[in-house]
Amino acid sequence: MYRVDSPGRVNLIGEHTDYALGYVMPMAIDLYTVLHAQKDEGVRVYSQIFREVREFGLGEIRKAGDWADYVRGIFWVLMEEGHTIGGMKGILGGDLPIGSGLSSSASLELAVLAFLNEAYELNLLPVEMALLAQKAENEFVGVPCGILDQFAVVHGKRGHVIFLDTDTLEHEYIRFPEDVRVLVFYTGVKRELAGSAYAERRKVAEETLRLLGKRTSKEVDESELRSLPALYRRFFGYIVRENRRVLEARDALRSGDVRTFGELMTASHWDLARNYEVSSEELDFFVRRAIELGAYGAKLTGAGFGGSAVAIVPEEMALDVAMRVTDEYVRHFNWEPDYHLVTPSDGVSVRRV
């Protein structure tokens, strides 16, 4: 029997840049998908969250439109890539919220993949695992995500954030200040990553690169967008500015300048809200109030359209900010929010139990 602990992630800055092969700065967090599993002939998985079992044979892997597609997708991609594997019998649990913008899907994918890698001695490198999980989500599940989520779940390092070039996959670990807490605030508004708004923005980004004859957003200067249609100019202009902010945020965090780092986060949020149009009234409320209550910076995290926001807050006031924002939010909106004070964690891990 094996136990897999697969973290969620938050992205501190660099939103919607990964599918344009730009810069991002995520961290794995200490909220986990936990999988207890052993080898078996077929696949049988019980979810403690959904309180249901899903079963399938290795010769009959078809998309079903439910949570187990992320499990099916991992088996599909490994066989698609020529790996020899058997089945799995397992129980899924953990404390990582589902559908809240903390990458529960990538966490689940990597939990299954890490088990299979260990149990069937596939000897996959971490970066190979991230790319396989991304392929499963893109081509089997049908979600056009970039590499950010899977990379962060695999490569997380305790006490550090990851500066990642999603084009080359070169990355740098930057120590996160010990006297700063990360407040993750779930708005209660579920969002569907595979929805049309996300897909539209990815399509615009890819089409912009094609029109400009560029391979990545890192190669684009904002002045080059002037000849493009207004929508393309507005959407891709955000991506160009966000790449620049991530580089500035990397430099600020390297030097321990948390205040500048926070200001860049907040600037990122309002650019996302006003120009990329992926925020919401609820996310904006949190960002505005967190800053007013003393956070260094705040922004939506993940795809937007609901889900979660993140703030970096001095440790001594983090709980007070979280409780006050939550109390005010409940009075303003008809949603059930939740919050977590998280720290940067290690990536997915497997051990025998």
Side-chain angles (χ1 to χ4, degrees), residues 19-53:
Y19 52 72
L21 300 180
Y23 302 115
V24 297
M25 194 178 289
M27 69 183 207
I29 59 175
D30 52 345
L31 296 169
Y32 299 91
T33 300
V34 177
L35 170 65
H36 288 89
Q38 62 188 39
K39 292 181 178 181
D40 204 57
E41 290 186 4
V43 181
R44 178 182 172 87
V45 182
Y46 173 72
S47 167
Q48 293 176 331
I49 295 172
F50 293 104
R51 297 184 179 180
E52 57 189 23
V53 174

Side-chain angles (χ1 to χ4, degrees), residues 311-337:
I312 57 171
V313 190
E315 184 173 27
E316 67 275 8
M317 61 193 306
L319 182 58
D320 181 62
V321 171
M323 294 176 68
R324 289 181 64 182
V325 170
T326 301
D327 183 58
E328 293 178 22
Y329 183 91
V330 168
R331 292 202 302 268
H332 276 79
F333 299 104
N334 188 30
W335 299 104
E336 292 186 17

Side-chain angles (χ1 to χ4, degrees), residues 4-307:
V4 186
D5 292 272
S6 186
R9 68 92 191 93
V10 294
N11 191 38
L12 295 181
I13 193 165
E15 233 60 72
H16 287 271
T17 54
D18 60 342
Y19 52 72
L21 300 180
Y23 302 115
V24 297
M25 194 178 289
M27 69 183 207
I29 59 175
D30 52 345
L31 296 169
Y32 299 91
T33 300
V34 177
L35 170 65
H36 288 89
Q38 62 188 39
K39 292 181 178 181
D40 204 57
E41 290 186 4
V43 181
R44 178 182 172 87
V45 182
Y46 173 72
S47 167
Q48 293 176 331
I49 295 172
F50 293 104
R51 297 184 179 180
E52 57 189 23
V53 174
R54 289 290 182 266
E55 294 183 80
F56 58 91
L58 297 182
E60 49 173 323
I61 301 177
R62 290 186 293 272
K63 184 177 174 181
D66 60 18
W67 61 267
D69 279 347
Y70 296 101
V71 180
R72 297 181 186 99
I74 294 301
F75 281 89
W76 171 84
V77 77
L78 286 173
M79 291 189 287
E80 178 82 2
E81 294 290 325
H83 294 283
T84 301
I85 54 172
M88 172 184 91
K89 179 164 64 176
I91 298 174
L92 280 166
D95 58 0
L96 179 63
I98 302 295
S100 59
L102 302 180
S103 201
S104 57
S105 57
S107 180
L108 172 54
E109 290 160 357
L110 269 306
V112 174
L113 184 49
F115 163 74
L116 295 173
N117 187 44
E118 188 75 16
Y120 292 101
E121 299 179 353
L122 303 180
N123 298 314
L124 295 169
L125 297 173
V127 69
E128 294 176 304
M129 293 173 62
L131 290 167
L132 284 167
Q134 182 198 12
K135 181 176 179 178
E137 191 154 348
N138 289 170
E139 299 184 18
F140 185 86
V141 180
V143 177
C145 65
I147 191 64
L148 185 158
D149 294 352
Q150 292 82 4
F151 195 96
V153 171
V154 173
H155 288 87
K157 182 177 179 180
R158 186 175 302 276
H160 294 74
V161 301
I162 308 167
F163 168 75
L164 171 65
D165 181 333
T166 62
D167 172 30
T168 65
L169 300 187
E170 293 179 1
H171 58 285
E172 173 188 349
Y173 291 109
I174 305 174
R175 181 164 292 281
F176 192 76
E178 293 181 3
D179 58 352
V180 176
R181 295 301 300 273
V182 177
L183 165 59
V184 178
F185 184 85
Y186 173 49
T187 61
V189 183
K190 290 191 179 295
R191 84 286 176 279
E192 184 53 61
L193 189 61
S196 59
Y198 180 91
E200 178 197 15
R201 280 152 184 77
R202 178 162 185 157
K203 182 179 178 182
V204 167
E206 292 170 345
E207 181 68 6
T208 300
L209 289 173
R210 187 189 68 78
L211 290 170
L212 295 176
K214 306 283 187 174
R215 195 175 59 82
T216 83
S217 58
K218 299 181 301 179
E219 303 167 16
V220 180
D221 186 89
E222 206 165 351
S223 63
E224 298 176 83
L225 305 177
R226 291 172 185 159
S227 62
L228 299 181
L231 179 69
Y232 287 41
R233 198 163 58 242
R234 187 168 78 253
F235 280 4
F236 210 86
Y238 157 76
I239 291 176
V240 173
R241 292 188 297 274
E242 185 76 343
N243 277 332
R244 185 170 63 246
R245 279 189 290 264
V246 179
L247 293 173
E248 293 171 358
R250 175 200 62 188
D251 294 343
L253 206 55
R254 278 174 178 170
S255 63
D257 186 352
V258 183
R259 195 164 299 280
T260 295
F261 185 86
E263 290 170 354
L264 289 162
M265 285 179 63
T266 307
S268 169
H269 176 81
W270 293 119
D271 206 353
L272 282 160
R274 293 162 183 156
N275 295 302
Y276 216 59
E277 300 175 7
V278 296
S279 189
S280 67
E281 184 182 359
E282 295 85 357
L283 289 164
D284 292 351
F285 177 91
F286 170 81
V287 169
R288 192 175 291 110
R289 288 301 292 139
I291 297 298
E292 290 169 353
L293 291 169
Y296 292 117
K299 60 180 282 295
L300 67 84
T301 188
F305 317 112

